[in-house]
Amino acid sequence: MDSRHSTISSSVSISTPRFRCFDPTNLYSSSPNHSRRHFSALSPTSMNGSMENLVNSEPKIVTGPSGYVLEDVPHLTDYIPEIPTYSNPLQVNPAYSVVKQYFVNMDDTVAQKIVVEKNSPRGIHFRRAGPRQKVYFEPEEVYACIVTCGGLCPGLNTVIREIVCGLYHMYGVHKVLGIEGGYRGFYARNTIPLTPKVVNDIHKRGGTILGTSRGGQDTSKIVDSIQDRGINQVYIIGGDGTQKGASVIFEEIRRRGLKVAVAGIPKTIDNDIPVMDKSFGFDTAVEEAQRAINAAHIESESFENGIGLVKLMGRHSGFIAMYATLASRDVDCCLIPESPFYLEGAGGLLEYIEKRLKENGHMVIVIAEGAEQEVCSESMRTTDQQDASGNKRLPDVGLWISQKIKDHFSKTKKMAINLKYIDPTYMIRAVPSNASDNVYCTLLSHSVVHGAMAGYTGFTVGQVNGRHAYIPFYRVTEKQNKVVITDRMWARLLASTNQPSFLDHKDVFGDEKEGAPKNQPINGNNYLQATTTTLGGPNDVAEDKKQLETPMLSINGNE
């Protein structure tokens, strides 16, 4: 390998970056395990059509020996070559006087996968987050802004507070602006000056003091506003749709050659952002979900043949439902989008409910909002409506399955049931973050401030295998993180609830067409062994037919 290719150097301490961005036509020639990526600008529907002619910059990829790949983030010096650097103010900050090593090593990176075989390549890495020895902004010249977009999530106010306090106390930045009402606030000129005094106790409140909104806005107007106000650091807090918008804003800023750092802090209560360990607010959501599950358990125990049904968040990913079920230990059945189920017939959900009621006299069911939406939508005859963010409006699967359960027992007249349906969705979203999430929000906020001050831009920050890293926007928007139902974590849940797989009989026995899910016994239980292949729906699962010939499937994946 060319020695130039194996050298990984930082673009922070020099005027012109020394890494090499490879031609995408031969980018992965030495890394057979990596698929070629192509990136193009977001469609006009995502950010209102002002960027039709924009072409995204190529990803910054650095390769090294033994299959090392660094997916680096953009830097201001990529398109503004002669930017002066300054000593990091942390060197004279009294709070850091006891720290042995002020700054992150320039070549430090974080591995995406830490469980590897002896001869496997080193794999993909991301640039480690943290303070750098040189910064590209003088504290006096920094004019930062913060905006929150999308739905509510525990921890939003904590992130706002810690960005403001981090800029003030670590770097001496005194000009921070809050943009009200999401992206549209940029050109509606609704702003709030933010100081440590203003944000002092906002972490004790739910929601966001800046307000929020959904939907793509006019990118040119947003960047015009940033340019007219003299803003040079933009901190954007939001989910995958918001981060896509941030990516387009970054590209337009880059096209204009502005010295503006654009940094994202990913927010999704569903925990469906890929690459990173988890998103902030998730721990709080699981903790709050326990209150609803506990109430459902008490209700079901207090009545003969009582059923407590709890609907939790999770449009495409069932992480909240899965972790809340595991934490509770009172749940008899957990239904998530990644694992399809059916109601009628032998081995179906309704038969399982009858069985549990006869055995225990009560049961608790947890269902994610996106579970079995195809059948639910067809049954309730809903149309494909979308919200302002372009997300499909989902019918209430909790009401649908509640009615199906009631109709079944009313029709069979085998037993009288007492069903209580609890939907704590908006209660969970609106609470302040717990202690664990407060610490996590603080670390994320400080990491993103360090990155922006060091001149990095077009990135989002997240925890990868316990270490904070700077991740390119495209990596957190290209797909969604989903529960892997061939993973040990899902197996632990199945062992906890003792629920069957609820696979349709035609999928198990009679349908051999390509893409049909297959069953494989695990320790005597008929659990689903399938891998989700697309983001389309719960039926999009596939399994190699050869695996049916093996007596036992290995269950691989993250703990």
Side-chain angles (χ1 to χ4, degrees):
M1 182 181 294
D2 192 330
S3 61
R4 291 173 299 172
H5 296 184
S6 61
T7 302
I8 303 171
S9 60
S10 170
S11 60
V12 176
S13 58
I14 51 179
S15 297
T16 304
R18 284 160 42 201
F19 59 81
R20 178 174 178 179
C21 294
F22 292 91
D23 185 342
T25 59
N26 61 16
L27 180 61
Y28 296 107
S29 58
S30 62
S31 304
N33 293 331
H34 295 84
S35 60
R36 187 178 300 163
R37 290 192 180 93
H38 300 276
F39 301 96
S40 59
L42 293 175
S43 65
T45 57
S46 60
M47 290 296 282
N48 278 2
S50 59
M51 306 306 302
E52 293 182 16
N53 298 322
L54 180 64
V55 177
N56 281 9
S57 54
E58 292 293 338
K60 290 173 62 174
I61 308 293
V62 181
T63 61
S66 305
Y68 177 94
V69 177
L70 169 63
E71 295 198 11
D72 207 354
V73 297
H75 194 272
L76 292 173
T77 55
D78 295 348
Y79 61 95
I80 309 176
E82 300 298 330
I83 302 180
T85 60
Y86 312 95
S87 296
N88 194 318
L90 289 178
Q91 296 183 66
V92 293
N93 190 316
Y96 281 75
S97 61
V98 296
V99 179
K100 291 182 179 180
Q101 184 175 347
Y102 288 113
F103 307 113
V104 171
N105 189 297
M106 295 286 78
D107 290 336
D108 281 359
T109 57
V110 179
Q112 183 177 1
K113 293 184 178 180
I114 57 174
V115 179
V116 296
E117 297 178 359
K118 182 173 70 172
N119 297 320
S120 61
R122 294 176 64 188
I124 296 174
H125 292 64
F126 301 102
R127 190 165 290 280
R128 183 183 174 191
R132 266 57 180 176
Q133 189 168 3
K134 296 292 183 181
V135 295
Y136 283 76
F137 294 94
E138 282 190 294
E140 297 79 12
E141 74 169 307
V142 173
Y143 190 17
C145 75
I146 305 171
V147 62
T148 55
C149 306
L152 295 182
C153 176
L156 282 170
N157 279 334
T158 306
V159 172
I160 295 169
R161 181 189 190 278
E162 294 308 318
I163 291 175
V164 173
C165 292
L167 285 168
Y168 263 73
H169 300 316
M170 292 191 296
Y171 288 97
V173 173
H174 293 162
K175 292 185 291 184
V176 185
L177 196 65
I179 306 296
E180 289 188 305
Y183 278 137
R184 67 170 58 98
F186 276 102
Y187 49 85
R189 298 196 175 275
N190 299 325
T191 60
I192 305 174
L194 298 176
T195 65
K197 185 176 181 179
V198 170
V199 302
N200 182 53
D201 62 351
I202 64 172
H203 62 291
K204 300 174 184 178
R205 307 180 221 162
T208 164
I209 63 165
L210 299 179
T212 184
S213 63
R214 294 185 182 273
Q217 306 302 321
D218 192 309
T219 308
S220 290
K221 287 185 177 180
I222 291 174
V223 179
D224 287 345
S225 175
I226 292 170
Q227 192 170 3
D228 292 344
R229 296 173 192 268
I231 293 170
N232 51 20
Q233 289 186 9
V234 182
Y235 297 96
I236 301 174
I237 310 168
D240 54 351
T242 302
Q243 300 305 313
K244 288 176 184 177
S247 177
V248 177
I249 292 170
F250 157 70
E251 293 293 347
E252 173 64 2
I253 286 173
R254 179 188 181 114
R255 188 184 68 82
R256 298 189 189 186
L258 305 178
K259 185 187 175 183
V260 178
V262 180
I265 302 93
K267 170 229 52 140
T268 168
I269 202 167
D270 293 348
N271 198 39
D272 59 0
I273 292 182
V275 180
M276 57 192 64
D277 299 346
K278 64 178 179 179
S279 52
F280 73 84
F282 177 70
D283 283 353
T284 305
V286 172
E287 184 176 304
E288 287 298 312
Q290 298 302 296
R291 302 178 189 273
I293 294 175
N294 186 51
H297 183 240
I298 292 171
E299 285 284 349
S300 65
E301 268 192 326
S302 301
F303 293 89
E304 183 180 5
N305 296 325
I307 299 175
L309 176 64
V310 180
K311 187 186 79 171
L312 297 176
M313 288 154 292
R315 294 180 60 88
H316 305 290
S317 304
F319 286 103
I320 293 179
M322 180 176 72
Y323 276 83
T325 296
L326 280 168
S328 169
R329 300 292 174 174
D330 288 329
V331 179
D332 300 286
C333 183
C334 179
L335 306 171
I336 61 173
E338 295 88 341
S339 182
F341 66 92
Y342 70 107
L343 295 171
E344 308 285 348
L349 176 61
L350 295 174
E351 182 184 78
Y352 175 65
I353 292 174
E354 283 188 31
K355 177 175 176 288
R356 294 298 286 177
L357 289 178
K358 289 176 181 177
E359 291 174 349
N360 296 339
H362 67 275
M363 76 175 299
V364 176
I365 302 171
V366 169
I367 186 167
E369 62 179 324
E372 207 62 24
Q373 275 296 323
E374 289 184 7
V375 178
C376 178
S377 299
E378 182 180 346
S379 176
M380 299 181 74
R381 294 182 175 87
T382 56
T383 58
D384 290 338
Q385 296 179 341
Q386 295 182 335
D387 62 19
S389 298
N391 299 317
K392 180 181 177 182
R393 293 188 184 276
L394 302 181
D396 193 326
V397 69
L399 290 176
W400 170 74
I401 201 169
S402 295
Q403 194 58 49
K404 288 291 184 182
I405 294 170
K406 291 176 181 177
D407 290 345
H408 171 76
F409 284 97
S410 175
K411 185 188 303 181
T412 60
K413 297 181 180 179
K414 290 182 179 179
M415 62 178 74
I417 64 166
N418 196 309
L419 189 146
K420 298 294 192 299
Y421 171 42
I422 299 174
D423 180 359
T425 300
Y426 294 103
M427 294 175 61
I428 292 174
R429 295 186 348 157
V431 300
S433 53
N434 64 12
S436 172
D437 270 324
N438 272 337
V439 173
Y440 187 39
C441 289
T442 300
L443 297 178
L444 288 174
S445 302
H446 289 184
S447 293
V448 79
V449 167
H450 292 317
M453 291 297 296
Y456 293 111
T457 181
F459 72 93
T460 188
V461 65
Q463 182 175 277
V464 181
N465 295 316
R467 295 285 186 177
H468 288 75
Y470 299 138
I471 305 166
F473 278 136
Y474 67 82
R475 285 305 308 272
V476 298
T477 60
E478 62 186 358
K479 64 179 182 179
Q480 289 173 312
N481 190 27
K482 305 187 103 181
V483 173
V484 180
I485 56 176
T486 55
D487 204 7
R488 282 195 294 275
M489 189 60 78
W490 185 246
R492 293 185 183 105
L493 181 141
L494 295 174
S496 171
T497 62
N498 291 314
Q499 68 189 65
S501 67
F502 304 123
L503 282 179
D504 199 321
H505 288 288
K506 69 177 182 180
D507 293 327
V508 178
F509 301 109
D511 196 343
E512 294 296 329
K513 67 181 179 181
E514 184 179 358
K518 308 295 180 182
N519 255 11
Q520 181 73 11
I522 298 183
N523 295 335
N525 293 320
N526 200 24
Y527 293 153
L528 171 64
Q529 287 296 295
T531 303
T532 303
T533 55
T534 70
L535 302 182
N539 293 324
D540 295 333
V541 292
E543 183 69 43
D544 192 336
K545 293 181 181 180
K546 293 182 180 180
Q547 290 181 335
L548 293 175
E549 301 171 2
T550 62
M552 178 74 179
L553 283 178
S554 61
I555 306 176
N556 299 317
N558 295 327
E559 290 285 323

